[in-house]
Amino acid sequence: MNTQSIGQNLLDTANRLRDRELLFHGNHANLSVRSGERMLMTRGGDVAQLRADDLDWVGLDGSGQEAFQPTFREVIEMHAKVYSQRRDFGGIIHCHPAHLTAFAIAQQPLPAVYEPLLRLGIHEEVPVVAWAPRGSQESVEGILRAFVNPAISAVLLSNHGVLVAGADLGEALARLTALEEAAELVLHARALGGAKPLPKAAYEEVVGRQHQFQMTS
Ligand SMILES: [Zn+2]
């Protein structure tokens, strides 16, 4: 993908966040795409009407961050360190969707009880990272500790929001969408006695069927 199409992909993803109502009232989010040792990222907080000149490239080592407001540089570090640790990630979205953020402020992990999550590689509960000021070393270290587990691609940030990653932004968006659906459904299920767990072998069965389908299609 060339530089221009990477930028367009990021803008399209931000529009989908808005259209799918994955942004809360303030439209706050930050998104990035990794390309080699650099990432393209949003430069402000409100992403509802993003334009190409709201994005800038920055190195994973922080080089080029002068283009960003000093208050935003802590967000750069949050994305850059995750990419440096998890080379399988190529896209990251941070935002405050209503239902996932309800779990974050209740400091409750989100159980993986919704089948679409399995198809997106999420088969363990989404962990809660202890609260520390946004972008602080303590907060970033908490996120990195959770991502040591290769099965984890999303974390709830205590009393704040969610951070979701994928091989590219498309996968991060698909995961975020399914997670927000799961959070909403788990809350509804509580009125009916609570969500029930999937069978232990559910993930292997789903992955097996996906593999079978790919082999025959
Ligand atoms: Zn935030």
Side-chain angles (χ1 to χ4, degrees):
M1 221 189 275
N2 63 31
T3 303
Q4 198 180 353
S5 50
I6 291 173
Q8 192 55 50
N9 177 245
L10 199 155
L11 297 178
D12 291 344
T13 305
N15 288 338
R16 289 198 186 101
L17 290 180
R18 182 195 61 210
D19 296 344
R20 294 182 184 181
E21 299 184 351
L22 293 165
L23 301 172
F24 207 35
H25 305 306
N27 298 321
H28 171 88
N30 41 73
L31 296 79
S32 66
V33 184
R34 181 175 69 82
S35 178
E37 296 306 308
R38 300 189 306 157
M39 58 181 184
L40 181 67
M41 97 173 276
T42 50
R43 217 173 35 213
D46 184 334
V47 303
Q49 306 288 341
L50 266 193
R51 296 175 321 181
D53 56 9
D54 295 322
L55 311 175
D56 250 310
W57 288 93
V58 58
L60 297 189
D61 60 359
S63 55
Q65 61 176 311
E66 303 73 30
F68 294 79
Q69 295 283 339
T71 51
F72 199 74
R73 290 182 192 165
E74 61 196 23
V75 179
I76 295 174
E77 183 166 280
M78 180 170 78
H79 288 240
K81 290 214 162 154
V82 170
Y83 286 130
S84 296
Q85 176 172 304
R86 288 287 299 269
R87 305 304 289 184
D88 54 324
F89 291 160
I92 294 176
I93 304 171
H94 162 66
C95 59
H96 307 163
H99 301 91
L100 281 168
T101 305
F103 278 83
I105 66 170
Q107 299 184 358
Q108 285 187 22
L110 177 70
V113 289
Y114 181 44
E115 185 181 323
L117 295 177
L118 304 184
R119 296 176 189 282
L120 296 164
I122 299 171
H123 53 98
E124 292 189 17
E125 68 179 19
V126 179
V128 179
V129 174
W131 185 86
R134 184 188 80 164
S136 64
Q137 197 177 344
E138 197 183 341
S139 168
V140 173
E141 281 172 3
I143 293 168
L144 295 179
R145 267 196 301 279
F147 282 133
V148 165
N149 179 348
I152 297 299
S153 55
V155 293
L156 294 165
L157 307 178
S158 285
N159 307 82
H160 183 167
V162 66
L163 188 80
V164 185
D168 52 31
L169 263 187
E171 187 174 60
L173 176 67
R175 284 174 170 163
L176 176 66
T177 306
L179 285 167
E180 175 62 0
E181 289 177 352
E184 185 169 355
L185 291 167
V186 168
L187 291 174
H188 284 315
R190 285 183 180 172
L192 303 168
K196 298 287 186 281
L198 282 155
K200 277 203 162 24
Y203 180 59
E204 285 71 23
E205 286 179 32
V206 166
V207 171
R209 285 183 65 81
Q210 275 178 314
H211 189 63
Q212 203 176 16
F213 179 74
Q214 281 158 5
M215 298 281 278
T216 54
S217 63

